[in-house]
Amino acid sequence: MSFDEGQLLRPGSLGVVAAALFVLVLGLGTGTDTTGPLITPILSNSPASNGWYRADVTVGWDVRDPESGVAETQGCDIRTVRTEPGETITCNATNNVGISGGYSITIRLDKTAPRVTGATPARPSDANGWYNHAVAFSFTAEDGANGSGIAACPEVTYSGPDSDTASGSGTCTDRAGNLGRRNFSLQYDSTAPRVRAVPSRAPDRYGWYSHAVRISFAGTDALSGVDSCTPRRIYSHPNSERASVSGRCSDVAGNIRRRTFTFKYSQPLLTPGWGTRVTAPPLLGWVPVRRAVYYNVQLWHDGKVLSRWPTRNRLQLRDSWAYNGRRHELVPGRYAWYVWPRFSGRYGRAIGKSVFYVSS
């Protein structure tokens, strides 16, 4: 195809060509950018918990359009969110081909710890306002109208140490992770009093009681104090090498400790007892004495008529026996007898004396 000069220079033809070129360029521009600007928020810090922030947040924006460029923005300046419960910020932008876009971000801000309003024990005190074993406390809290809301108030169990001014602490957290704390106080005594048994007198012979004995119980308590003890008790039977009386004391906090007083009791210490009448040779018996190697038993009837050294705490008399070169018989009448324990290298004091009568 060929063009002559007349065609190229025809009046008005130059304006037509320029217009055609402008339309072509405009058409090419609108064809390569069909999307709005790219808008990305830039935050100074990350959420602390559940999408909530616990500190001021500065919000900036990255706004760009790789194809046609950004023509104008609105609301995209840097700003800091300081006021609870936060706010929503929107950035709008328009590119050079007239396409607009926007991006909104909500900053949820809670900088205030919840207020723990109550600490409640799971049960009443055990005695007189005192707790004597572990007790759990539950907590309630408020987070205010602009708060993130209460997330958790864990239960706390107190189990010591003992104190009349004991204290503990519980916490509540909100959904932003702020922590509120509350102290609680209580009187706590989990230690039972010390108890001792107090007999009214010392044993009669070699650790043995031979007639009624009164046992009292006394207590001491370093913290809440003794509240009461078992009243005095009297023991008078049965005979036993392990006789016992039990009592207890309680403290003001309700702790109880029991104590058993064990002792040796025999009434009488020697058998047959004083004044017993027999018709046959009796079996003489007496209470055993600790660490005795043997015993010396003496029988008197118008003078000493028998002396023996048994290793056990008994001696069976016979109708007749030999003593001190003479023959003796168990004839009717009054007989007194005594027993002494023999230890290694010495005799102890007499266990006792008794009298029996032989009837005809």
Side-chain angles (χ1 to χ4, degrees):
M1 181 176 181
S2 61
F3 298 92
D4 57 25
E5 291 182 356
Q7 290 176 315
L8 291 173
L9 299 175
R10 185 178 301 154
S13 62
L14 184 58
V16 172
V17 172
L21 288 172
F22 176 78
V23 171
L24 178 61
V25 170
L26 182 62
L28 289 173
T30 57
T32 58
D33 190 356
T34 59
T35 59
L38 300 175
I39 304 173
T40 305
I42 301 173
L43 306 179
S44 61
N45 45 304
S46 300
S49 178
N50 297 304
W52 285 81
Y53 294 83
R54 294 203 303 264
D56 296 348
V57 182
T58 299
V59 181
W61 301 92
D62 178 20
V63 183
R64 66 182 65 185
D65 193 303
E67 287 83 12
S68 63
V70 177
E72 63 176 347
T73 63
Q74 185 177 33
C76 301
D77 53 318
I78 296 174
R79 59 188 298 181
T80 299
V81 179
R82 294 185 172 89
T83 305
E84 302 174 36
E87 60 181 290
T88 298
I89 301 174
T90 301
C91 171
N92 294 306
T94 304
N95 63 16
N96 284 310
V97 296
I99 302 175
S100 298
Y103 192 106
S104 294
I105 183 170
T106 298
I107 302 298
R108 296 188 295 176
L109 181 63
D110 183 356
K111 300 184 290 182
T112 306
R115 185 171 68 91
V116 184
T117 57
T120 305
R123 56 182 174 80
S125 62
D126 296 294
N128 301 304
W130 288 80
Y131 290 91
N132 60 32
H133 62 285
V135 56
F137 282 78
S138 59
F139 300 88
T140 54
E142 298 175 350
D143 201 40
N146 293 328
S148 56
I150 301 300
C153 291
E155 190 176 77
V156 172
T157 297
Y158 188 93
S159 58
D162 291 355
S163 174
D164 57 353
T165 56
S167 64
S169 179
T171 59
C172 290
T173 55
D174 60 22
R175 299 186 71 249
N178 295 298
L179 185 70
R181 187 178 300 276
R182 184 181 180 93
N183 295 328
F184 60 90
S185 60
L186 69 159
Q187 293 179 300
Y188 193 86
D189 182 1
S190 61
T191 305
R194 299 181 65 181
V195 182
R196 60 190 180 95
V198 184
S200 59
R201 56 185 174 80
D204 297 287
R205 284 287 191 276
Y206 295 106
W208 287 84
Y209 289 92
S210 62
H211 56 282
V213 58
R214 294 184 296 274
I215 310 297
S216 300
F217 293 89
T220 56
D221 189 88
L223 189 53
S224 61
V226 175
D227 182 52
S228 64
C229 291
T230 299
R232 183 176 61 186
R233 302 184 62 184
I234 298 176
Y235 189 94
S236 59
H237 68 280
N239 292 346
S240 173
E241 283 195 73
R242 291 193 59 80
S244 65
V245 172
S246 295
R248 70 179 194 174
C249 291
S250 61
D251 61 19
V252 175
N255 298 293
I256 296 172
R257 178 162 292 171
R258 293 171 173 80
R259 174 69 184 270
T260 297
F261 178 63
T262 303
F263 54 100
K264 296 183 288 186
Y265 186 88
S266 178
Q267 187 180 32
L269 296 177
L270 280 60
T271 57
W274 194 285
T276 302
R277 292 188 175 274
V278 299
T279 58
L283 172 64
L284 306 182
W286 54 93
V287 294
V289 175
R290 189 166 176 259
R291 294 194 179 93
V293 179
Y294 55 84
Y295 303 90
N296 177 227
V297 180
Q298 295 183 12
L299 182 66
W300 294 68
H301 177 71
D302 295 331
K304 186 191 299 185
V305 295
L306 179 142
S307 187
R308 292 286 187 271
W309 295 266
T311 57
R312 301 180 65 188
N313 60 317
R314 67 195 62 167
L315 176 67
Q316 177 66 59
L317 294 183
R318 306 296 178 187
D319 289 325
S320 63
W321 62 90
Y323 171 70
N324 201 21
R326 291 179 55 193
R327 196 75 189 170
H328 298 272
E329 294 184 354
L330 194 66
V331 297
R334 179 183 184 275
Y335 290 82
W337 62 288
Y338 307 80
V339 182
W340 290 267
R342 173 72 179 188
F343 303 105
S344 178
R346 66 179 180 88
Y347 278 102
R349 63 176 179 167
I351 297 173
K353 171 188 176 181
S354 188
V355 172
F356 63 87
Y357 296 88
V358 177
S359 300
S360 56

